[in-house]
Amino acid sequence: MNSFPQIILIDGGKNQLISAYNVLFDYKDLLNSIKLMSIVKPEDKILLLKINENSFSIDELKDLDRDVWNFLKMLRDEAHRYANSKRLKYSSYITDL
């Protein structure tokens, strides 16, 4: 059983997607088996990084099933909600010091 994810979903645009690619670049076996996707909030679009021999391209996924798209947006929104709640919690610790 493979203990690595099949997909890594990144919150951000092309720059964040390229950063994830750069992190995984030294792990060619992982890079070839994991799909890197990015969800872009202002434009509400999904980007997929396609890896070629020694380069990559970024394509927008346009024909996504509505239920899948709604699920991905829900994941993004929940990640934002969680991160914001932790940021508020930990920022209050800093101000209390």
Side-chain angles (χ1 to χ4, degrees):
M1 183 172 148
N2 188 348
S3 60
F4 296 105
Q6 294 175 343
I7 297 174
I8 296 177
L9 181 63
I10 297 155
D11 180 21
K14 287 183 182 180
N15 290 334
Q16 288 78 10
L17 197 55
I18 292 168
S19 293
Y21 169 81
N22 289 331
V23 167
L24 292 175
F25 184 77
D26 293 332
Y27 305 97
K28 296 281 189 207
D29 293 339
L30 287 178
L31 198 55
N32 292 327
S33 64
I34 296 173
K35 295 201 181 313
L36 292 175
M37 296 173 64
S38 174
I39 187 164
V40 184
K41 187 171 185 170
E43 297 90 14
D44 267 348
K45 61 184 176 181
I46 301 283
L47 302 177
L48 174 65
L49 188 127
K50 291 186 176 179
I51 300 165
N52 304 322
E53 198 61 28
N54 283 322
S55 64
F56 63 87
S57 63
I58 297 175
D59 296 329
E60 182 179 347
L61 296 180
K62 294 185 181 209
D63 297 328
L64 213 53
D65 180 77
R66 180 178 299 271
D67 290 336
V68 172
W69 175 238
N70 287 336
F71 177 72
L72 292 174
K73 286 195 324 187
M74 183 185 69
L75 283 176
R76 177 202 59 203
D77 294 344
E78 181 59 22
H80 283 187
R81 186 203 62 75
Y82 180 80
N84 285 331
S85 72
K86 293 301 177 189
R87 181 182 53 82
L88 291 173
K89 178 180 177 182
Y90 292 116
S91 66
S92 69
Y93 289 145
I94 293 171
T95 58
D96 290 343
L97 294 177

